[in-house]
């Protein structure tokens, strides 16, 4: 019979293979299991195991009739078979739903800034039903002098820590300037507080992010890509593909497609949608045009298998398979308005379980 360290290792290997909701119940078995499951090292090991084994999708919809946001966790297969419906415990003060800033290791960063600047930021683990509302950021600047804020969310693997970065511009920044003075603040989950890193010169950024290679990326209005290294906490500039350097930023969307830094160009006048990918991260000459498709209004979501969910001119969702260059029916029923539809690849985890100041959802 196995005893001591060998027994403990065996228990950990077995528990690591269980779904997050099952592990929540397993905490009640005994004190040693509780200590193990809530240990940050075990939580990280569970994430690493799920990265290789369990591929899921988090799907959001909005029912206009009931004014209700709905989330579902689904298998990442062709039918998106539903695993569970998730109650959404938050109510937006400014819009029908929150904007999803990013989703990393099962932790979702939500912001209530779709309509206007807000301090409402939430880290939410939908599977284990825990959340943390970030404290208000205090700056030594009059609130009347503050303008737009841009948020980013990522994970520092060297410190097993999640970070939210907030870039705060003063009022009426020059959108086309190469550099603009901004206040930089970083929230670290390990300390549960904001640290203001002073001022920095950063071009005005679009609010959408792409998290690739441990770096948060945004499109800048001066026709650059700006990255923030979550581990090193430093900014860096990257070049867009030569063809896109004269494009209107409003026609571009930055994304992570098959774990590659990517940019969609939505040519409203040409009626064409193209995808550019950076095959060799950090090498500007490695940008290549992956595909061009016609007569679609916008990209709605990306699948981990390389498929793209598109909205056509008639307002319907269609699946484009980039490998076969074929359009397929989007077989998943979307409740409510297409406008509220959003989908992200999701990695089930226990993130936030070890945070004493996080809250459970009743």
């Amino acid at each position: 019979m196995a005893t001591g360290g060998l027994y403990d290792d065996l228990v950990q290997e077995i528990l690591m293979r269980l779904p997050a909701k099952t592990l929540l119940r397993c905490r009640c078995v005994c004190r040693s299991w509780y200590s193990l499951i809530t240990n940050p090292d075990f939580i990280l090991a569970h994430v690493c195991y799920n990265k290789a084994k369990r591929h899921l999708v988090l799907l959001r919809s909005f029912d206009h009739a009931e004014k209700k946001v709905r989330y579902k966790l689904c298998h990442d297969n062709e039918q998106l078979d539903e695993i569970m419906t998730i109650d959404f415990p938050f109510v937006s003060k400014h819009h029908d739903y929150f904007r999803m800033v990013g989703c990393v290791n099962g932790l979702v960063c939500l912001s209530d800034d779709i309509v206007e600047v807000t301090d409402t930021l939430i880290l939410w683990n939908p599977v284990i039903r825990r959340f943390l509302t970030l404290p208000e950021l205090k700056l030594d600047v009059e609130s009347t002098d503050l303008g737009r804020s841009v948020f980013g969310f990522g994970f520092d693997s060297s410190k097993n820590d999640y970070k939210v970065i907030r870039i705060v511009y003063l009022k009426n920044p020059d959108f086309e300037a190469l550099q603009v003075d901004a206040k930089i603040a970083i929230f670290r989950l390990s300390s549960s507080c904001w640290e203001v890193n002073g001022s920095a010169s950063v071009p005005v950024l679009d609010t959408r992010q792409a998290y690739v290679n441990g770096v948060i990326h945004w499109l800048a209005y001066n026709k650059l890509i700006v990255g923030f290294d979550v581990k090193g906490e430093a900014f860096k500039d990257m070049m867009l593909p030569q063809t896109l350097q004269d494009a209107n930023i409003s026609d571009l969307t930055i994304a992570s497609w098959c774990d590659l830094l990517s940019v969609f160009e939505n040519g409203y006048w040409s009626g064409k949608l193209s995808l550019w990918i950076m095959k060799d991260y950090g090498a500007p000459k490695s940008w290549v045009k992956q595909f061009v498709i016609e007569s679609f209004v916008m990209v709605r979501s990306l699948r981990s298998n390389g498929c793209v969910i598109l909205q056509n001119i008639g307002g319907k969702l269609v699946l484009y398979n980039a490998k076969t260059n074929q359009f397929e029916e989007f077989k998943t029923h979307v409740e409510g308005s297409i406008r509220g539809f959003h989908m992200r690849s999701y990695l089930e985890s226990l993130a936030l379980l070890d945070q004493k100041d996080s809250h459970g959802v009743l």
Side-chain angles (χ1 to χ4, degrees), residues 35 87 95 121 138 164-165 190 208 224-225 234 246 258 297 320 332 348:
S35 297
D87 290 331
H95 194 61
L121 278 169
K138 304 291 186 181
V164 179
I165 178 173
S190 58
R208 294 165 293 184
L224 287 172
I225 294 174
D246 293 325
C258 297
V297 176
Y320 173 70
T332 303
E348 185 178 333

Side-chain angles (χ1 to χ4, degrees), residues 83-227:
I83 299 172
M84 70 174 81
T85 300
I86 301 168
D87 290 331
F88 188 69
F90 317 110
V91 177
S92 170
K93 295 179 180 179
H94 308 294
H95 194 61
D96 293 331
Y97 41 82
F98 283 73
R99 181 173 71 88
M100 196 180 293
V101 177
C103 181
V104 182
N105 293 349
L107 203 55
V108 182
C109 181
L110 301 168
S111 174
D112 197 11
D113 66 347
I114 291 179
V115 175
E116 59 184 77
V117 176
T118 177
D119 284 315
T120 304
L121 278 169
I122 298 169
L123 295 180
W124 177 48
N125 186 327
V127 172
I128 66 169
R129 298 162 62 87
R130 296 196 70 83
F131 71 92
L132 176 70
T133 302
L134 272 60
E136 183 179 350
L137 174 63
K138 304 291 186 181
L139 294 172
D140 57 349
V141 179
E142 292 292 333
S143 59
T144 53
D145 293 330
L146 296 177
R148 66 188 273 125
S149 286
V150 173
F151 301 105
F153 178 55
F155 178 66
D156 181 350
S157 58
S158 68
K159 297 180 179 178
N160 193 11
D161 200 7
Y162 296 87
K163 298 179 183 179
V164 179
I165 178 173
R166 182 171 181 177
I167 305 166
V168 185
Y169 299 95
L170 298 180
K171 266 192 174 179
N172 304 316
D174 182 353
F175 274 62
E176 296 183 356
L178 291 177
Q179 301 290 339
V180 177
D181 286 337
K183 295 285 186 180
I184 309 297
I186 298 174
F187 176 89
R188 299 176 183 85
L189 184 57
S190 58
S191 62
S192 292
C193 65
W194 289 101
E195 178 184 332
V196 180
N197 286 18
S199 298
S201 294
V202 183
V204 180
L205 305 175
D206 181 61
T207 57
R208 294 165 293 184
Q209 76 164 49
Y211 182 64
V212 181
N213 278 18
V215 178
I216 303 165
H217 304 83
W218 304 270
L219 288 171
Y221 283 89
N222 66 358
K223 311 299 176 65
L224 287 172
I225 294 174
V226 173

Side-chain angles (χ1 to χ4, degrees), residues 10 35 53 86 93 166-167 172-173 177 240 264 272 285 340 346:
L10 182 60
S35 297
K53 300 293 184 181
I86 301 168
K93 295 179 180 179
R166 182 171 181 177
I167 305 166
N172 304 316
L240 280 165
F264 284 92
K272 295 181 179 180
K285 293 183 179 180
Y346 186 78

